[in-house]
Amino acid sequence: MLPAEQALILAAILFVTGVIGVIVRRNLIFVLMSVEIMFNAAGLAFVAGSALHGQPDGQIFFIFILPVAAAEVAIGLALAVLVFQKYRTLDLWTIARSREE
Amino acid sequence: MNNLLIFYPAAVVAVITTLMVILTRNPVYAVIYLILSLCGVALVFFSLGAPFLAALEVIVYAGAIIVLFLFVVMMLNIGRVMNEQDCLRPSRKQMILPGFLVIVLLVETLMCLFAAAPVNPAASSISTKALGQALYGKHYLGVLLSALVLLIGAIGGIHLGRASSCPDTKERSIHAPR
């Protein structure tokens, strides 16, 4: 098996780990970190595809993922700071419950 | 054969550290594990024949984005409760796994640097020059759009930061003696 195909499997494993993190963790910071893992796995899949076909386009799409991830993290962490200032916690279950009341 | 020798340990390190990000309780440890995971993925990029992206991964992801996480964790001080549970200094048992993973990555990087043959990991390696020509030739619209995305991210961050500091200043002006 080519290393690029194995890299695709690695990307799948990392992406699933990120999805599990988003579902399981209750802390907002950890959820954002899991989203970051998913971004990174998607980029790895792009680079593996680029190596598989010998074209530079996949690598270019990884370069495009970088600013998207940076902007997402900047806004997500700003929202996390706002949420912490309002609710005094980052526990998503507690925040959801206090919103229901 | 050489690039598989780089690929497998880096992939194993990336998977283990990513699992540890999900499993650790302390956010600071999770951020450090995330940096290790990104370094492992960077070595995977290198073994796939994308050395420029490996550098970009370490500089932009590990150097800028994850440090932002570290800033917010420090600012909100949510690691405090956990730090009181397991005292501030990590015990020796806690340092074995990350230390081992760091050593694996370090040995691999040194192997890449001091390999007898010139480093050209994959047969289908794409040169940085071809990458730049395709980026600023065929995909120049994407470059403009990513610049726009960064601008919007900066404006959004500034706006949310101002919104969070506004009530405080109002409160202070109310409580301030006239």
Side-chain angles (χ1 to χ4, degrees):
Chain A
M1 203 154 59
L2 291 167
E5 295 174 6
Q6 292 164 344
L8 278 178
I9 296 172
L10 173 67
I13 294 172
L14 291 184
F15 193 87
V16 169
T17 314
V19 171
I20 292 173
V22 168
I23 293 171
V24 169
R25 293 309 298 249
R26 293 170 52 177
N27 193 317
L28 190 52
I29 296 282
F30 279 93
V31 171
L32 281 174
M33 265 190 246
S34 304
V35 170
E36 208 55 34
I37 292 169
M38 283 155 65
F39 264 113
N40 196 37
L44 178 58
F46 269 121
V47 175
S50 162
L52 211 58
H53 296 287
Q55 299 285 329
D57 298 321
Q59 299 192 11
I60 285 167
F61 271 91
F62 179 76
I63 295 178
F64 289 155
I65 285 178
L66 281 178
V68 173
E72 180 261 342
V73 162
I75 293 181
L77 286 177
L79 283 175
V81 171
L82 278 183
V83 165
F84 185 77
Q85 284 180 349
K86 184 165 184 191
Y87 294 101
R88 286 285 136 200
T89 178
L90 283 175
D91 189 351
L92 290 173
W93 289 10
T94 313
I95 293 167
R97 224 175 291 134
S98 64
R99 279 184 62 86
E100 279 170 10
E101 283 164 7
Chain B
M1 209 58 205
N2 194 11
N3 70 27
L4 282 184
L5 211 62
I6 300 171
F7 177 83
Y8 283 124
V12 170
V13 168
V15 169
I16 293 175
T17 46
T18 309
L19 281 177
M20 289 306 287
V21 172
I22 304 298
L23 295 176
T24 33
R25 303 188 67 83
N26 192 324
V28 179
Y29 292 164
V31 168
I32 303 291
Y33 274 121
L34 194 49
I35 289 176
L36 255 184
S37 157
L38 293 175
C39 289
V41 174
L43 269 172
V44 169
F45 283 174
F46 189 81
S47 76
L48 285 176
F52 179 65
L53 291 193
L56 218 58
E57 172 102 357
V58 172
I59 294 169
V60 177
Y61 255 107
I65 297 179
I66 304 305
V67 170
L68 211 64
F69 274 104
L70 205 58
F71 282 158
V72 171
V73 169
M74 281 159 55
M75 211 171 84
L76 301 184
N77 212 359
I78 55 175
R80 191 184 47 203
V81 183
M82 287 79 165
N83 278 340
E84 283 163 1
Q85 285 166 4
D86 56 354
C87 56
L88 270 171
R89 283 189 51 178
S91 66
R92 196 161 289 179
K93 218 169 75 182
Q94 276 176 308
M95 286 165 70
I96 288 175
L97 177 65
F100 174 71
L101 295 176
V102 167
I103 286 170
V104 168
L105 284 184
L106 190 65
V107 166
E108 276 193 277
T109 315
L110 290 179
M111 257 170 54
C112 294
L113 281 178
F114 298 109
V119 179
N120 184 14
S124 64
S125 183
I126 294 153
S127 72
T128 309
K129 189 182 169 191
L131 190 66
Q133 278 173 344
L135 180 64
Y136 290 108
K138 204 163 52 169
H139 296 283
Y140 74 99
L141 258 182
V143 177
L144 297 180
L145 282 178
S146 58
L148 209 62
V149 166
L150 277 179
L151 179 68
I152 292 168
I155 291 173
I158 291 168
H159 175 70
L160 290 173
R162 279 176 62 88
S164 73
S165 63
C166 249
D168 280 0
T169 50
K170 263 184 208 159
E171 219 170 31
R172 221 174 287 139
S173 65
I174 288 170
H175 292 303
R178 301 211 165 187

